[in-house]
């Protein structure tokens, strides 16, 4: 069974640009979460989608947005990039609604903002 | 305000000995706790979890202990193996929130010395 797939794996942008990251969850998984990992802050929750609906959102500015499609694939977008947005963006999927917290993570998209 | 704290950024242990990784939390709403392991250039992988109704959960060489009164949990790895060298993240979830919003600690880098 294929794991969580994130694209692109690496990308470089400049300040002010925008970026879209994609995540394909494990087949059958309907929940997709996004996390930002930085050396100083660790893993921080961005948002979570279930059946195309955003169920929860972390403490990030409105420049960070996301969506989920009917096939459970998800995208996140960061507009007006800042240097501090350089991070590893991790997508995670999960199957059930029981909130067991067992997330299956992708390898991440490493964003560098110059 | 860091709700999940891993106060030891790094830990070195001799192969065959016990590794003990610690985690403290401040939010009383957390009642489900997880440990994830992360190798470089890979996404975190689920290791073991514990619900607040238990104080211990074992899975092979891995045991997680929960002390609710102290808001403290620990992960024991016995015996430690070189392949266990990775960054370990403690995470917590408020059960019943209907989402998968995990709050992570900043991680502890474990090095198992052969």
């Amino acid at each position: 069974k294929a794991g969580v797939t994130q694209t692109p794996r690496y990308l470089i942008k400049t300040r002010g640009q925008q970026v879209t990251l994609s995540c394909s969850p494990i087949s059958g998984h309907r929940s997709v979460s996004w996390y930002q990992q930085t050396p100083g802050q660790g893993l921080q929750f961005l948002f979570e989608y279930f059946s195309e609906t955003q169920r929860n959102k972390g403490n990030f500015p409105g420049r960070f947005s996301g969506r989920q499609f009917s096939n459970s694939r998800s995208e996140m977008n960061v507009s007006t990039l800042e240097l501090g947005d350089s991070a590893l963006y991790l997508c995670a999927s999960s199957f059930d609604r029981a909130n067991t917290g067992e997330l299956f993570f992708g390898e991440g998209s490493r964003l560098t903002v110059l | 305000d860091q709700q999940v704290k891993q106060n030891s950024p790094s830990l070195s242990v001799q192969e065959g000995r016990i590794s003990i990784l610690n985690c403290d939390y401040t939010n009383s709403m957390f009642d489900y706790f997880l440990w994830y392991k992360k190798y470089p250039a890979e996404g975190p992988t689920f290791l073991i979890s514990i619900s607040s109704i238990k104080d211990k959960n074992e899975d092979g060489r891995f045991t997680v202990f929960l002390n609710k009164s102290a808001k403290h949990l620990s992960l024991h790895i016995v015996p430690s193996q070189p392949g266990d060298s990775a960054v370990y993240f403690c995470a917590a979830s408020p059960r019943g929130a209907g989402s998968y919003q995990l709050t992570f600690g900043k991680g502890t880098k474990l090095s198992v010395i052969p």
Side-chain angles (χ1 to χ4, degrees):
Chain A
K1 180 162 156 177
V4 177
T5 304
Q6 291 188 244
T7 56
R9 290 291 313 281
Y10 303 91
L11 66 165
I12 300 173
K13 294 285 187 178
T14 56
R15 278 183 301 174
Q17 287 187 310
Q18 74 165 14
V19 66
T20 298
L21 308 177
S22 179
C23 172
S24 293
I26 292 172
S27 178
H29 285 192
R30 294 167 65 191
S31 170
V32 174
S33 305
W34 288 90
Y35 288 81
Q36 180 196 63
Q37 185 184 13
T38 58
Q41 297 298 321
L43 274 155
Q44 291 188 290
F45 173 76
L46 280 156
F47 25 65
E48 187 250 347
Y49 289 88
F50 186 91
S51 293
E52 302 179 66
T53 300
Q54 185 182 88
R55 293 201 294 189
N56 214 334
K57 184 170 165 48
N59 189 25
F60 278 81
R63 300 185 297 106
F64 292 81
S65 63
R67 59 178 176 169
Q68 186 181 33
F69 302 95
S70 58
N71 61 358
S72 293
R73 191 177 70 84
S74 177
E75 288 181 348
M76 67 163 283
N77 183 277
V78 188
S79 62
T80 320
L81 284 166
E82 300 177 0
L83 295 178
D85 297 332
S86 294
L88 180 66
Y89 290 89
L90 291 160
C91 168
S93 74
S94 186
F95 172 71
D96 61 60
R97 299 191 63 136
N99 195 25
T100 61
E102 287 190 32
L103 303 179
F104 295 84
F105 283 87
E107 294 179 322
S109 293
R110 168 100 34 210
L111 170 65
T112 301
V113 182
L114 301 176
Chain B
D1 175 31
Q2 210 180 337
Q3 299 184 63
V4 177
K5 299 179 185 179
Q6 294 177 257
N7 292 320
S8 298
S10 62
L11 175 68
S12 289
V13 172
Q14 207 72 30
E15 181 180 2
R17 307 294 286 267
I18 183 171
S19 294
I20 300 176
L21 295 93
N22 294 303
C23 177
D24 297 295
Y25 62 97
T26 58
N27 190 337
S28 304
M29 297 298 290
F30 290 149
D31 69 353
Y32 195 74
F33 305 89
L34 309 93
W35 285 93
Y36 279 81
K37 179 169 76 171
K38 186 179 186 301
Y39 293 116
E42 294 183 12
T45 55
F46 170 76
L47 198 55
I48 192 169
S49 63
I50 188 167
S51 166
S52 61
I53 61 173
K54 294 184 176 181
D55 54 18
K56 178 182 173 181
N57 188 27
E58 283 182 87
D59 184 1
R61 296 185 297 113
F62 303 91
T63 303
V64 56
F65 295 92
L66 175 63
N67 183 333
K68 283 176 292 185
S69 60
K71 291 190 175 69
H72 176 83
L73 62 155
S74 61
L75 174 68
H76 292 209
I77 306 173
V78 184
S80 300
Q81 300 174 354
D84 296 330
S85 297
V87 177
Y88 289 78
F89 292 96
C90 170
S93 171
R95 186 177 280 276
S99 73
Y100 295 91
Q101 180 177 349
L102 293 181
T103 301
F104 284 86
K106 293 189 178 181
T108 296
K109 183 177 181 181
L110 173 66
S111 299
V112 180
I113 304 161

